[in-house]
């Protein structure tokens, strides 16, 4: 697949990637390398300049190329929570169901479960401006989970949060994935977050993006927060770091 | 109570001072009343002509309010219609901006010719003055929706109507009420 912006800037160059259903894949790379664009392409929000994007759900053999045509299978978590300020937490989570034609009361009923999953059952009727940044992000994740998606894409979801909130959300997300086993594509620029969360880390080069390292993470399935200080974790982190450095991923940070 | 008094006192003093200077100045300099009537003369004719003035005030308020109400309905509707088609917006919007700059004083004589001097002329001029800010602010409010939220609605296959009712109109409320205030 190849993709250019209007005006001919090549963002993604001959990228060939397939992701196994039910796996947790993290994409890391320098800022502005095209990670977010890649997610938008996979979500069907943009069409690639050349090549194809196919989403093949595990249970169905036919290829659904247009994500919009099948709302149930897509879910997207943005860099910021992007909640509707005039809706409560519960109504925000119910929104995707309402848009798919589920009656309002039924949608509100079904929205309770994902809010429980992110431990927000005590904040159902609060409005976004009454919630902390971390809580808003959890509402945003609950909104993505409410349609029980086969594929969840997260675009640097915790980048704006403090380190502690971020690590706790990483832990929650990992637990949710372990329980539901949906396919997750997680874009981040934090190497340790990528390693902690995923089964596979793809390191991308600076623009135009191509894959410079495809790393299968060797860590136990159960991952406590303290794992980050263990030798296996640190060694793999160093491996990712070197790959990023070798392909210009740190140029911007140095400049 | 004490605070309210403290807040009201300075502007009240200014008013009293200005009225006294005005009355005193007119009397001292002997300015004829048809050039600058003193405040006492203004007050006495308000009392004397109160029936006429009150009925005129009634007509003007009624006309202004109905013109304003009409501009809210038609202006909001116009903004929504323009927001639905980019071509229509490009074709029409520049003229709404241009018409907004036409001073009402310039067309008032024409309005009187067309609609007479009564209620209708007042209503039409109120409508003309207020409809353009309503259209402009409704349109800009509808258009300034967070693009990520539009993406979200698209991802879940929202219809154009759902996008308008559940996202664009609620997002535009702030900007629309600004338009009403300006109007």
């Amino acid at each position: 697949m190849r993709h250019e912006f209007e005006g001919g800037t090549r963002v993604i160059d001959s990228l060939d990637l397939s992701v196994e259903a039910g796996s947790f894949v993290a994409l890391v790379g320098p800022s502005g390398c095209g990670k977010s664009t890649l997610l938008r392409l996979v979500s069907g929000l943009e069409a690639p300049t050349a090549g194809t994007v196919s989403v093949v759900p595990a249970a169905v053999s036919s290829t659904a190329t247009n994500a919009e045509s099948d709302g149930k299978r897509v879910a997207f978590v943005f860099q910021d929570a992007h909640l509707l300020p005039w809706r409560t937490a519960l109504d925000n989570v119910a929104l995707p169901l309402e848009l798919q034609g589920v009656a309002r009361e039924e949608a509100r009923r079904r929205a309770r479960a994902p809010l429980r999953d992110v431990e927000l059952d005590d904040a159902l009727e609060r409005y976004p401006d009454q919630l902390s940044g971390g809580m808003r992000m959890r509402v945003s994740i609950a909104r993505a989970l409410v349609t029980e998606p086969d594929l969840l894409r997260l675009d640097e979801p915790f980048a704006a949060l403090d380190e502690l909130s971020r690590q706790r959300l990483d832990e929650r997300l990992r637990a949710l994935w372990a329980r539901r086993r949906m396919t997750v594509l997680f874009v981040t620029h934090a190497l340790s977050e990528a390693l902690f969360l995923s089964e596979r880390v793809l390191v991308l080069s600076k623009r135009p993006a191509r894959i410079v390292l495809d790393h299968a993470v060797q860590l136990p399935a159960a991952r406590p927060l303290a794992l980050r200080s263990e030798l296996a974790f640190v060694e793999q982190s160093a491996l990712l770091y070197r790959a990023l450095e070798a392909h210009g991923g740190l140029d911007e940070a140095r400049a | 109570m004490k605070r309210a008094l403290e807040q009201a006192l300075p502007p009240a003093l200014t008013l009293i001072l200005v009225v006294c200077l005005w009355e005193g100045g007119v009397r001292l300099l002997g300015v004829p009343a048809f050039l600058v009537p003193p405040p006492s003369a203004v007050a006495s004719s308000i009392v004397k002509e109160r029936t006429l003035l009150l009925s005129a005030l009634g007509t003007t308020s009624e006309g202004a309010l109905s013109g304003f109400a009409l501009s809210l309905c038609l202006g909001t509707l116009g903004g929504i219609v323009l927001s639905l088609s980019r071509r229509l917006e490009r074709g029409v919007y520049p003229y709404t901006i241009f018409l907004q700059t036409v001073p009402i004083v310039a067309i008032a004589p024409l309005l009187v010719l067309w609609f007479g001097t009564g209620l209708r002329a007042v209503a039409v001029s109120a409508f003309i003055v207020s409809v353009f800010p309503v259209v402009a602010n409704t349109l800009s409010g509808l258009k300034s929706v967070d693009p990520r939220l539009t993406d979200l609605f698209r991802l879940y296959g929202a219809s154009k109507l759902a996008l308008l009712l559940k996202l664009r109109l609620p997002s535009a409320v702030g900007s629309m009420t600004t338009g009403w205030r300006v109007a």
Side-chain angles (χ1 to χ4, degrees), chain B residues 46-119:
Chain B
I46 287 177
V47 175
K48 211 160 48 188
E49 308 279 355
R50 58 184 177 278
T51 11
L52 179 70
L53 284 172
L54 271 177
S55 88
L57 182 69
T59 311
T60 308
S61 325
E62 200 187 330
L65 279 178
S66 45
F68 180 61
L70 196 68
S71 76
L72 286 194
C73 300
L74 294 184
T76 305
L77 204 66
I80 292 172
V81 170
L82 288 189
S83 79
L84 292 178
S85 151
R86 190 165 273 193
R87 271 199 199 137
L88 194 64
E89 185 202 326
R90 283 204 192 129
V92 176
Y93 192 62
Y95 297 104
T96 68
I97 298 280
F98 172 72
L99 287 174
Q100 209 171 339
T101 63
V102 174
I104 193 71
V105 183
I107 46 173
L110 273 177
L111 294 179
V112 171
L113 274 180
W114 294 339
F115 301 103
T117 51
L119 187 68

Side-chain angles (χ1 to χ4, degrees), chain A residues 79-117:
Chain A
Q79 287 176 3
D80 298 299
H82 289 286
L83 303 176
L84 301 182
W86 58 86
R87 281 180 168 239
T88 61
L90 187 64
D91 285 331
N92 263 293
V93 175
L95 178 75
L97 295 174
E98 283 178 38
L99 292 179
Q100 289 174 0
V102 177
R104 195 178 151 83
E105 276 316 304
E106 168 70 6
R108 277 170 63 90
R109 198 185 57 74
R110 278 163 59 182
R112 283 167 190 272
L115 276 164
R116 207 176 309 125
D117 285 343

Side-chain angles (χ1 to χ4, degrees), chain A residues 137-159:
Chain A
M137 214 56 234
R138 272 144 69 194
V139 175
S140 179
I141 291 171
R143 179 176 64 189
L145 293 175
V146 76
T147 52
E148 298 184 359
D150 297 323
L151 249 147
L152 179 61
R153 291 123 211 189
L154 302 101
D155 188 2
E156 297 187 31
F158 313 138

